[in-house]
Amino acid sequence: MQSYITVKNSSHFEYEDRKSVFIGQAHPVSTEAEAIAFIESVKKRYPDARHHVYAYVLRENSAMRFTDDHEPQGTAGMPVLDIIRKNGCTDVVIVVTRYFGGTLLGTGGLVRAYTAAALGALESAEIIRYDIYTTIELLVSYSDYGKISTALADLGFRTEDTTYDTGVNVVGRILKSNLETLNLALTESTAGRVSITVIGEEFGY
């Protein structure tokens, strides 16, 4: 597992140039089947559009696909793909649907329009970073609980559950990269009296 950047939501963004309307839509996906299904759903939503240009990048099999959909080669699909790659994103598909406005935009105009629509869609979908978080369980005495609170806050520990019994039991998660530092800080502040148990790992943002 490793950290990755993707989008949080589906999005809709429109860009117009000389009456040609470019509708950019970004969508989070995790498989090629999901990407293709989203592309097909967009085509069904806008069946009368002239072009449906798309690009997607996936962690699965390191897949990377794009199409110009009958626009001049290199003016549509590649600019959309470039937007995804330049922002370091994966597990995302972007479809830019074009309604022709009657005026030819030229090579440069098409590249600018598809780039603008793709970027707008990507930013509207909210770019997020998924990191590996480790879920841990802490058991400390009441007197030591106050000593560890600062270290937990400083290292971004996210408390999910706290139980007060003979001691204080805390379950939460922290960035895996911060786990060793947290272990040292808690051990030092409690003189080794804290009990730390790793429960598991998962992606989160």
Side-chain angles (χ1 to χ4, degrees):
M1 291 194 299
Q2 59 182 5
S3 302
Y4 66 99
I5 299 171
T6 186
V7 295
K8 183 178 180 181
N9 310 298
S10 296
S11 67
H12 180 104
F13 180 86
E14 293 191 14
Y15 176 86
E16 185 173 340
D17 185 358
R18 283 164 279 181
K19 296 184 179 181
S20 277
V21 178
F22 298 81
I23 304 170
Q25 296 178 88
H27 187 71
V29 291
S30 56
T31 66
E32 198 151 14
E34 289 178 2
I36 293 170
F38 179 74
I39 294 164
E40 292 303 316
S41 72
V42 172
K43 290 180 179 180
K44 290 179 181 178
R45 196 176 309 144
Y46 304 104
D48 55 337
R50 177 72 67 89
H51 305 281
H52 296 287
V53 170
Y54 67 78
Y56 59 84
V57 177
L58 302 169
R59 288 181 299 145
E60 180 186 70
N61 299 322
S62 300
M64 187 181 301
R65 305 279 187 273
F66 71 91
T67 181
D68 292 313
D69 194 26
H70 306 297
E71 290 281 33
Q73 185 176 359
T75 63
M78 183 57 75
V80 174
L81 178 62
D82 281 346
I83 286 298
I84 297 174
R85 296 170 64 186
K86 287 177 181 177
N87 283 276
C89 292
T90 188
D91 281 7
V92 61
V93 56
I94 297 178
V95 183
V96 179
T97 298
R98 181 189 182 189
Y99 281 91
F100 183 55
T103 301
L104 295 176
L105 303 184
T107 300
L110 287 173
V111 171
R112 285 191 297 273
Y114 279 106
T115 297
L119 180 59
L122 193 67
E123 292 179 340
S124 298
E126 190 179 345
I127 299 172
I128 58 174
R129 179 186 180 90
Y130 273 95
D131 285 298
I132 305 171
Y133 283 83
T134 301
T135 299
I136 61 176
E137 181 180 27
L138 307 174
L139 180 60
V140 294
S141 66
Y142 282 89
S143 59
D144 283 335
Y145 181 54
K147 299 175 182 177
I148 70 172
S149 57
T150 299
L152 294 178
D154 288 346
L155 290 169
F157 181 81
R158 301 180 182 181
T159 301
E160 297 175 346
D161 185 55
T162 304
T163 304
Y164 301 93
D165 196 358
T166 54
V168 183
N169 184 274
V170 183
V171 176
R173 61 179 187 155
I174 187 169
L175 279 171
K176 182 179 180 180
S177 56
N178 286 342
L179 181 59
E180 184 175 348
T181 302
L182 181 69
N183 283 338
L184 292 173
L186 298 188
T187 300
E188 181 178 337
S189 62
T190 64
R193 292 184 296 271
V194 63
S195 170
I196 304 173
T197 303
V198 174
I199 296 175
E201 294 180 353
E202 62 181 358
F203 278 112
Y205 64 88

